[in-house]
Amino acid sequence: MRKAADHARAGRGPVLLEFRTYRFRAHSMFDAQLYRDKAEIAEWQQRGPIITLTTRLKAAGLMAEEDFQRLQREANDEVTAAVAFAESSDWEPISDLGRHVYAEVSP
């Protein structure tokens, strides 16, 4: 990333960056995930960006395990609150389902 940023900042043109990601969870609640091995998922979880970054920060003395645990609790609490808000909210009117899907042209 540093080489790519230096290249672009020096005016030597754009750089294509490829970031490989992995979906840890199923496509839906009806997906039994029988098409992939649990060991594969576990391996990718250890390679995930949150784990690799926090491992580097801890190794450099820039983050303590307690800090990581606190941040993880705060993130989980925020998600839990957002889900509770969504589940307790009113449903969107059916008449609005098509809104903001296509450009709305004024007559």
Side-chain angles (χ1 to χ4, degrees), residues 53-63:
L53 175 63
T54 55
T55 300
R56 289 180 189 163
L57 290 173
K58 290 174 193 176
L62 299 172
M63 175 183 270

Side-chain angles (χ1 to χ4, degrees), residues 1-2 4 15-22 44 49:
M1 185 66 214
R2 184 170 294 147
V15 178
L16 175 66
L17 299 173
E18 177 184 14
F19 294 95
R20 294 181 181 207
T21 60
Y22 189 84
W44 274 93

Side-chain angles (χ1 to χ4, degrees), residues 18-25 33 36-53:
E18 177 184 14
F19 294 95
R20 294 181 181 207
T21 60
Y22 189 84
R23 180 182 43 78
F24 298 128
R25 295 190 176 149
Q33 298 193 73
R36 57 184 180 173
D37 185 6
K38 300 227 183 284
E40 174 187 315
I41 297 170
E43 177 189 338
W44 274 93
Q45 285 174 328
Q46 292 308 308
R47 295 171 53 189
I50 294 174
I51 296 295
T52 55
L53 175 63

Side-chain angles (χ1 to χ4, degrees), residues 3-101:
K3 285 181 184 179
D6 290 344
H7 179 88
R9 288 179 184 133
R12 294 193 303 256
V15 178
L16 175 66
L17 299 173
E18 177 184 14
F19 294 95
R20 294 181 181 207
T21 60
Y22 189 84
R23 180 182 43 78
F24 298 128
R25 295 190 176 149
H27 284 288
S28 74
M29 61 188 196
F30 303 107
D31 180 1
Q33 298 193 73
L34 300 176
Y35 48 87
R36 57 184 180 173
D37 185 6
K38 300 227 183 284
E40 174 187 315
I41 297 170
E43 177 189 338
W44 274 93
Q45 285 174 328
Q46 292 308 308
R47 295 171 53 189
I50 294 174
I51 296 295
T52 55
L53 175 63
T54 55
T55 300
R56 289 180 189 163
L57 290 173
K58 290 174 193 176
L62 299 172
M63 175 183 270
E65 179 63 24
E66 301 81 39
D67 297 327
F68 174 71
Q69 294 298 328
R70 179 182 48 78
L71 289 170
Q72 196 167 34
R73 273 192 312 276
E74 289 174 3
N76 288 340
D77 291 347
E78 187 172 337
V79 169
T80 300
V83 169
F85 172 79
E87 289 178 342
S88 68
S89 296
D90 293 332
W91 283 86
E92 188 74 17
I94 291 176
S95 60
D96 286 353
L97 290 178
R99 287 186 55 207
H100 308 296
V101 175

